Amino acid sequence: MTTLRIHNIDSAPKESKALLEQSLKSNGMIPGLHGVLANAPGVLEGYQTLHKLFLESSFNKEELTVVWQAINVEHACNYCVPGHTAIAKMMKVDDAITDALRNENPLENPKLEALRTFTLNVTRNRGHVSPEDLQAFYAAGYGERQVLEVILGLSQKVISNYTNHIANTPVDTPFQKFAWEKQKQ
């Protein structure tokens, strides 16, 4: 059961209406997450801005997917994992990458695996990464810009993952075929 209200354009606070219209235009629907975030217009705007900025980062479509899904899976977000599975498919990311991320398996591509590992280290350790973690990331071909862009992606995902945990946001109908639950360890 949803614990926070999911708004549509008609029910949203007036400051959120234009933001939800933007979501509808961009996505062809208003994602449930956006409807929940509409309760706090500044949070919805912040989320949309972070999403735009992360899309404009130096990461390619596979790297964006690795950062998003590594965090979504680590945070056990049953809403975002299906949503980003669909986004990866729309971006034509290889299903092998998406499947490995969803199943918490190492990626075959060493550079992408280094990105996944670094992202998980940042997430799990709340930014307290070791010099060895940084060196491994740099050795894989990434730099200081990408360190900061991982933090940008994490910032976006904290908003969505934590909101979905609290709101118990139902997975949007188009993404239900990609349903996911964290594997018991």
Side-chain angles (χ1 to χ4, degrees):
M1 177 178 194
T2 305
T3 59
L4 298 177
R5 186 171 181 183
I6 301 174
H7 285 284
N8 59 40
I9 293 171
D10 294 331
S11 69
K14 74 175 182 166
E15 300 91 344
S16 292
K17 290 182 186 298
L19 298 166
L20 289 180
E21 287 170 358
Q22 178 183 332
S23 292
L24 179 60
K25 183 179 175 186
S26 297
N27 302 297
M29 60 179 249
I30 298 173
L33 169 65
H34 295 201
V36 172
L37 293 175
N39 284 291
V43 178
L44 176 57
E45 182 178 6
Y47 177 80
Q48 289 178 337
T49 300
L50 290 173
H51 180 73
K52 176 185 177 294
L53 293 171
F54 192 59
L55 284 172
E56 295 170 353
S57 72
S58 66
F59 291 130
N60 65 34
K61 62 186 180 178
E62 286 84 13
E63 292 166 326
L64 292 168
T65 298
V66 168
V67 173
W68 279 326
Q69 286 292 54
I71 297 164
N72 290 335
V73 169
E74 181 64 22
H75 287 164
C77 187
N78 296 339
Y79 178 91
C80 287
V81 172
H84 279 282
T85 299
I87 290 169
K89 285 190 175 295
M90 287 186 279
M91 294 184 342
K92 299 187 182 347
V93 171
D94 186 341
D95 286 342
I97 293 171
T98 301
D99 292 344
L101 291 164
R102 286 172 57 103
N103 295 316
E104 299 184 83
N105 293 327
L107 297 167
E108 288 186 22
N109 178 305
K111 187 172 182 185
L112 292 179
E113 178 56 20
L115 177 59
R116 184 183 82 91
T117 299
F118 183 75
T119 300
L120 288 172
N121 284 334
V122 172
T123 304
R124 290 173 178 161
N125 299 310
R126 298 184 181 111
H128 295 278
V129 297
S130 71
E132 295 80 18
D133 293 334
L134 275 174
Q135 203 50 44
F137 191 57
Y138 296 153
Y142 294 106
E144 293 177 359
R145 177 178 178 169
Q146 290 76 37
V147 169
L148 296 171
E149 289 174 339
V150 166
I151 295 168
L152 174 64
L154 178 59
S155 300
Q156 177 197 2
K157 294 288 61 191
V158 165
I159 292 172
S160 61
N161 295 165
Y162 289 14
T163 297
N164 290 318
H165 292 324
I166 292 168
N168 197 28
T169 314
V171 175
D172 299 305
T173 302
F175 310 137
Q176 288 175 358
K177 62 186 169 195
F178 304 118
W180 175 89
E181 287 189 28
K182 183 128 176 130
Q183 299 296 316
K184 304 250 190 275
Q185 303 281 341

